[in-house]
Amino acid sequence: MNYSIKEVADIIGAEYHSMSDGIVSRLLTDSRTLSFPETSLFFAIKTKTNDGHKYIYDLYKSGVRSFVITDEPSGLYQMPDANFLFVRNVTDALRRLAAHHRKCFSIPVIGITGSNGKTVVKELLYQLMHTDFNIVRSPRSYNSQIGVPLSVWEMNEQHTLGIFEAGISKPDEMDKLRPVILPTIGLITNIGEAHQENFHSAKEKCMEKLSLFIDSDVIIYNADDKSIENALDAMCLSYKAIGWSRKDTDSALFVNSIEKGDTTTRLRCTTMGIVHEYVVPFTDDAFIEDIIHCMTIMFYLNPAGIINKDDVFASLEPVAMRLEVKDGTNGCRLINDTYNSDINSLSVALDFQQSRRADKKLKTTVILSDILQTGMAPRSLYGKVAELLSRKKVDRLIGIGPDICECAHLFKTMETAFHTSSSGFLRSFKPDMFRDEIVLIKGSRSFHFESITALLEKKVHETILEVNLDAIVHNFNYYRSRLHPKTKMVCMVKAFGYGVGSFELAKTLQERRCDYLAVAVADEGEDLRREGITVPVMVMNPEFSSFHLLFDYMLEPEVYSFRLLDILIKESMRRGFMSFPIHIKIDTGMHRLGFEPEDIPEICRRLKAQNGLVVRSVFSHLVGSDAPEFDDFTEKQVDEYTRAAEALEKGLGYTILKHILNSAGIERFPDYQKDMVRLGISLYGISASGMTEDLQCVCSLKTVILQIRNVPRGDSIGYGRKTFVERDSRIAVIPIGYADGLDRHLSNGNGEVLVHGKRCPIVGNICMDACMIDVTDVDANEGDTVIIFNDELTVDELAAKIGTIPYEILTSVSPRVKRIYYRE
């Protein structure tokens, strides 16, 4: 249905300076979803985190000409033919337009509200009635103040039935949605504890939801739910209510019996004195209740579609909108129910878990986050949760969140583990933690349990970086064994831990009593502190804009210039710090960052004139400690550094830690250990000097074969036609490209991968997200593992092929490549 822009302006009561001709058929609230600019009307909605006005000019350049706004956009005069409709509240205007559109249709409209099950009931109704009606319904879970009007806008002259869901979290929100949906048939599924903290009582929340149906012809509900029945009475809506019941034989639809089998349920019900019997392909209580809701609506709206049709429910498919069942690793089954989290939906999910257990002797595990927005005291809430889990015979609970951790003592009848955050669980994860279990993953959205689901899910096509933490420990211990007992060690975890992931790495090193960690910038140090790392952290390249992080998180900066020194002195005095540790860097030949040796007297003078800073260490950086041809220069650097460090210590009058050796220096110049050394690339299993073979490989980059195709002799492979096969070939596609960190210089036969232990050349140009390999000589199949690098095809070898260093290969592995940490 089309509206002129002038009609829209009149409907929403907008002001405008000028008006060009335009037709509106599509409403746009997210600039990223633009498809039809010429007929789109953009609503520049402001939220707590964003402002749609920022995207107006970009949308204009993309062809949009009509906008609903509250503020004059920047670049107004660069958009001379645009229609700007000024309103007080953009979201109100969106609802007003949708409400007008709704009134243009006199078809029956089902409005669905409640705490749980709205989307499932909507989708089940669609499955059951789409052959009898032309149905318009909410896409996915569009039940918000913005989603509802966007859903209703999709109504057109061909539709004969509308089904829309409405969700609210605060008082008075339903009043805004009622004129938009204007349901003729109302359905309330149930009342749970979600968003209870925003209401004075459960009754108030129930009445708020029921206000959607003030103008409806009928209201469908579970008559056994007394909270709903009492709210209907209080609102004087009982006269239009049609209830179903398992207890009251006089109800409009009486459920005589529910008989569950292994995979199906037989329902016997009575309506208008006639007994009906149906078989449904579900056994869990939640779906049974949802189907009874649907059954009641069908008896009211379309009795011919259900009476004397015993198989009407037999072909129903599960609604995979919220709760998903997936294959997991190690023989596990995953139930992913991370869409919402309250105690009622937890009970429903536990019933589902038990139904999926079937006859298999599977252990039942629940991964549960804090349950938010209940309005209950944590002890009372988790007392109920503990009782529920015990009653459902859950074998193991993994609780995630500060509240559930505080109530850990309440869970006495099962195996338990607790973590204050999702990231804490992910860091503790080991591949063998779950085996032959049915795992319910149930969490509030803010806990981002999708990362947990992805970790436990059986992988088919995925590129991962496996990190062996035992190898990290081995390498750390190897270098420690080469040091004097009193020599300290700094471990470099900058650049996301050289690509392997800094958090898990830092935790492992902290457990091994590493003396110092070093990061490049303060942001990296802040992240470590937030993850519970307490080891002293050195910041090698502090930026002037990050001083607050240094002091807030006790991060010890490298100081390399008088400007930086003076600002730190001033900031420490302003904050009232005494003896805040810093690390002085001396340039002895790198010529990157650092004081000159002749600056030492002035450094001492400035530091002795204040008490906010104290020098914890003084260091320098060797230029060529890995190369024998530069040994004379290395000796010169060490000599110059030693003299400068001793002068600084003498000038300040207190002891300072001294360190100059990097990874290669530890291997080749053990006599210069001094007080501390810095371990970098060699920690990750790559000998900086090539002198030791005692290190263990830390990382393996792996992917899988997506597809294998036969390519005839003489055909080209990939972009640019750079590779032509010289024989009939089997070419496999693997999902890793330069966006994942696979360097394009490895294209066209320069690089190799491993498949079943055999080397296969990379053919054609490496693409952004994929590349091709020749598997003609390997018995390879789709889904097989492909090794990009490991202890056999090493990072050193890859680096040599493209003329770079191992550091670049490791740090180039994209963050989108999942890191999997394990111990043998």
Side-chain angles (χ1 to χ4, degrees):
M1 188 170 178
N2 296 333
Y3 292 82
S4 71
I5 190 64
K6 179 65 169 63
E7 287 177 309
V8 171
D10 291 342
I11 292 167
I12 65 176
E15 297 180 358
Y16 51 88
H17 301 313
S18 62
M19 183 72 68
S20 302
D21 292 337
I23 295 296
V24 173
S25 63
R26 291 174 173 82
L27 307 185
L28 184 67
T29 59
D30 185 340
S31 62
R32 297 167 296 185
T33 63
L34 177 66
S35 297
F36 301 91
E38 60 279 357
T39 57
S40 292
L41 173 63
F42 179 66
F43 288 78
I45 294 173
K46 293 182 179 180
T47 68
K48 293 180 179 179
T49 58
N50 209 351
D51 183 354
H53 291 77
K54 296 190 299 184
Y55 308 103
I56 288 176
Y57 186 61
D58 287 340
L59 285 169
Y60 177 84
K61 290 190 293 184
S62 297
V64 179
R65 289 298 179 266
S66 299
F67 305 88
V68 179
I69 60 176
T70 55
D71 305 325
E72 187 173 290
S74 58
L76 177 66
Y77 299 105
Q78 296 176 279
M79 300 176 279
D81 57 337
N83 296 311
F84 291 111
L85 309 185
F86 288 85
V87 296
R88 284 190 174 184
N89 185 295
V90 174
T91 305
D92 284 347
L94 173 64
R95 288 190 292 257
R96 197 175 303 124
L97 179 58
H100 173 90
H101 185 69
R102 165 66 184 92
K103 288 181 179 179
C104 296
F105 304 96
S106 57
I107 63 174
V109 171
I110 302 171
I112 305 173
T113 191
S115 296
N116 298 294
K118 297 184 291 295
T119 300
V120 173
V121 170
K122 178 196 67 186
E123 294 303 317
L124 289 175
L125 284 172
Y126 176 79
Q127 289 187 49
L128 291 165
M129 298 195 294
H130 74 278
T131 57
D132 299 308
F133 296 91
N134 187 340
I135 300 175
V136 56
R137 70 193 196 281
S138 307
R140 295 178 289 178
S141 298
Y142 274 35
N143 58 30
S144 67
Q145 298 292 320
I146 296 172
V148 168
L150 293 178
S151 301
V152 171
W153 181 259
E154 298 302 317
M155 295 179 74
N156 62 45
E157 295 87 347
Q158 284 73 47
H159 292 128
T160 57
L161 176 66
I163 309 176
F164 303 108
E165 55 179 293
I168 54 100
S169 60
K170 299 176 182 178
D172 304 322
E173 286 187 335
M174 198 62 88
D175 284 343
K176 299 174 182 178
L177 295 181
R178 183 173 62 251
V180 179
I181 299 179
L182 204 62
T184 58
I185 301 169
L187 169 62
I188 182 165
T189 57
N190 51 56
I191 295 296
E193 296 174 355
H195 308 298
Q196 185 58 54
E197 76 282 3
N198 296 324
F199 296 90
H200 292 105
S201 65
K203 183 177 181 179
E204 180 192 23
K205 182 173 67 176
C206 186
M207 291 174 66
E208 174 72 21
K209 291 179 181 291
L210 285 170
S211 67
L212 175 64
F213 308 134
I214 288 175
D215 301 313
S216 299
D217 298 328
V218 296
I219 303 171
I220 309 295
Y221 77 109
N222 178 359
D224 295 336
D225 190 329
K226 296 306 177 185
S227 64
I228 297 178
E229 194 162 74
N230 292 337
L232 286 167
D233 289 340
M235 298 177 70
C236 300
L237 294 175
S238 299
Y239 72 96
K240 61 172 69 176
I242 297 178
W244 62 265
S245 174
R246 300 177 187 178
K247 303 175 181 178
D248 183 2
T249 57
D250 293 328
S251 60
L253 187 144
F254 173 63
V255 182
N256 301 65
S257 63
I258 299 175
E259 299 174 5
K260 293 185 180 182
D262 292 336
T263 59
T264 61
T265 300
R266 186 174 297 275
L267 295 174
R268 295 181 74 249
C269 59
T270 301
T271 183
M272 299 179 66
I274 302 173
V275 178
H276 304 273
E277 189 169 301
Y278 303 100
V279 175
V280 299
F282 309 112
T283 60
D284 54 284
D285 292 341
F287 266 110
I288 299 303
E289 184 166 314
D290 292 337
I291 286 172
I292 297 172
H293 283 312
C294 295
M295 190 182 296
T296 309
I297 285 182
M298 292 177 71
F299 273 119
Y300 171 79
L301 185 63
N302 184 33
I306 187 170
I307 294 176
N308 298 323
K309 291 185 178 180
D310 296 345
D311 62 346
V312 64
F313 299 104
S315 60
L316 283 175
E317 295 289 337
V319 179
M321 293 293 293
R322 306 202 170 175
L323 190 149
E324 299 176 328
V325 180
K326 301 180 179 181
D327 288 329
T329 58
N330 300 328
C332 292
R333 293 284 281 169
L334 307 182
I335 300 173
N336 178 20
D337 190 23
T338 58
Y339 203 90
N340 57 31
S341 181
D342 61 53
I343 196 166
N344 288 344
S345 65
L346 174 61
S347 180
V348 170
L350 289 169
D351 285 340
F352 187 85
Q353 181 184 39
Q354 290 298 323
S355 73
R356 289 302 184 270
R357 194 176 190 177
D359 294 329
K360 296 181 179 179
K361 302 300 181 183
L362 295 177
K363 181 179 180 180
T364 54
T365 295
V366 175
I367 303 176
L368 180 67
S369 79
D370 280 354
I371 300 176
L372 308 177
Q373 302 176 324
T374 67
M376 297 175 63
R379 183 179 178 85
S380 176
L381 171 64
Y382 293 107
K384 288 187 175 182
V385 171
E387 181 182 2
L388 179 61
L389 295 183
S390 179
R391 185 156 41 88
K392 299 294 184 182
K393 298 180 180 179
V394 171
D395 297 308
R396 177 165 64 144
L397 168 68
I398 298 174
I400 297 177
D403 289 346
I404 198 169
C405 285
E406 288 286 332
C407 298
H409 62 283
L410 299 175
F411 299 88
K412 300 175 181 178
T413 64
M414 65 206 71
E415 179 184 348
T416 58
F418 294 90
H419 305 272
T420 56
S421 65
S422 299
S423 57
F425 168 82
L426 293 172
R427 291 195 305 275
S428 72
F429 177 79
K430 299 176 182 177
D432 61 350
M433 283 175 63
F434 298 85
R435 186 173 298 277
D436 298 326
E437 302 172 49
I438 184 159
V439 183
L440 171 62
I441 306 170
K442 182 74 174 167
S444 301
R445 297 183 193 182
S446 60
F447 283 85
H448 302 293
F449 269 19
E450 61 271 15
S451 58
I452 295 176
T453 303
L455 189 64
L456 298 179
E457 186 178 351
K458 185 177 181 179
K459 309 302 187 301
V460 180
H461 301 310
E462 182 166 289
T463 298
I464 61 172
L465 184 70
E466 289 187 346
V467 181
N468 185 343
L469 295 175
D470 285 336
I472 287 285
V473 172
H474 169 86
N475 298 338
F476 174 83
N477 288 337
Y478 170 77
Y479 282 99
R480 173 173 273 176
S481 71
R482 296 172 63 102
L483 302 178
H484 303 310
K486 293 185 178 181
T487 302
K488 298 180 183 296
M489 186 183 292
V490 181
C491 287
M492 312 301 291
V493 295
K494 62 182 181 178
F496 195 46
Y498 283 54
V500 308
S502 55
F503 299 152
E504 190 62 36
L505 177 65
K507 180 180 177 182
T508 301
L509 294 170
Q510 180 170 270
E511 291 171 350
R512 295 292 159 171
R513 300 183 183 276
C514 174
D515 301 292
Y516 260 93
L517 298 175
V519 297
V521 294
D523 288 345
E524 294 177 325
E526 176 193 9
D527 290 341
L528 292 181
R529 289 286 188 249
R530 287 183 178 275
E531 294 298 323
I533 300 301
T534 58
V535 173
V537 176
M538 187 185 305
V539 180
M540 308 302 286
N541 300 310
E543 297 163 319
F544 289 87
S545 61
S546 65
F547 283 171
H548 64 289
L549 297 179
L550 299 176
F551 290 95
D552 290 346
Y553 292 96
M554 289 302 294
L555 307 173
E556 304 175 17
E558 166 191 316
V559 179
Y560 51 80
S561 70
F562 286 115
R563 176 177 175 237
L564 178 57
L565 178 61
D566 289 342
I567 295 176
L568 283 170
I569 290 172
K570 182 178 179 180
E571 187 67 12
S572 67
M573 292 175 62
R574 187 182 73 82
R575 290 173 173 262
F577 273 85
M578 299 280 287
S579 301
F580 188 86
I582 63 172
H583 303 264
I584 298 294
K585 184 171 187 179
I586 307 297
D587 180 15
T588 58
M590 175 71 78
H591 299 319
R592 189 169 60 183
L593 294 174
F595 289 100
E596 297 295 331
E598 51 264 36
D599 293 330
I600 295 298
E602 180 60 19
I603 295 172
C604 293
R605 187 190 69 79
R606 298 191 190 193
L607 286 171
K608 291 174 74 173
Q610 55 84 54
N611 58 13
L613 305 179
V614 63
V615 177
R616 178 64 173 142
S617 80
V618 57
F619 69 103
S620 189
H621 207 110
L622 297 177
V623 173
S625 56
D626 58 330
E629 61 266 34
F630 299 131
D631 282 357
D632 288 344
F633 190 81
T634 298
E635 295 283 351
K636 179 183 176 183
Q637 278 192 277
V638 172
D639 180 67
E640 188 169 356
Y641 161 75
T642 301
R643 285 187 277 108
E646 290 174 350
L648 180 65
E649 188 173 67
K650 182 178 179 180
L652 292 176
Y654 53 81
T655 302
I656 302 170
L657 293 175
K658 306 172 192 68
H659 51 109
I660 192 171
L661 295 187
N662 51 16
S663 293
I666 299 170
E667 295 173 6
R668 300 192 63 244
F669 297 93
D671 292 341
Y672 301 141
Q673 292 178 23
K674 300 190 180 295
D675 303 306
M676 192 155 65
V677 297
R678 302 187 303 275
L679 183 61
I681 191 67
S682 294
L683 178 64
Y684 304 92
I686 299 169
S687 173
S689 67
M691 289 181 60
T692 179
E693 297 180 358
D694 296 320
L695 303 181
Q696 291 184 2
C697 177
V698 169
C699 302
S700 298
L701 183 59
K702 300 179 178 181
T703 188
V704 296
I705 294 176
L706 293 179
Q707 184 183 31
I708 298 176
R709 61 192 316 132
N710 296 315
V711 178
R713 175 185 178 185
D715 271 15
S716 62
I717 306 295
Y719 285 122
R721 308 196 75 195
K722 298 295 185 182
T723 295
F724 290 82
V725 295
E726 298 178 353
R727 57 176 177 171
D728 292 342
S729 303
R730 297 178 74 234
I731 304 300
V733 182
I734 57 177
I736 182 171
Y738 57 80
D740 301 294
L742 188 62
D743 197 296
R744 287 189 80 246
H745 292 93
L746 294 168
S747 301
N748 303 304
N750 194 36
E752 296 174 315
V753 299
L754 291 175
V755 180
H756 298 316
K758 296 183 179 180
R759 295 191 173 223
C760 301
I762 297 173
V763 292
N765 279 324
I766 293 171
C767 309
M768 180 182 290
D769 307 300
C771 68
M772 287 68 73
I773 59 175
D774 189 336
V775 295
T776 307
D777 299 323
V778 181
D779 183 20
N781 297 290
E782 293 179 1
D784 285 353
T785 298
V786 179
I787 304 297
I788 308 303
F789 61 73
N790 64 358
D791 56 349
E792 186 176 347
L793 179 55
T794 66
V795 171
D796 276 316
E797 182 178 338
L798 263 64
K801 282 181 177 292
I802 60 175
T804 187
I805 55 178
Y807 301 75
E808 184 176 356
I809 300 295
L810 278 180
T811 58
S812 294
V813 179
S814 168
R816 78 179 187 180
V817 174
K818 185 176 298 181
R819 273 72 174 168
I820 303 295
Y821 303 95
Y822 70 96
R823 281 179 165 154
E824 299 293 344

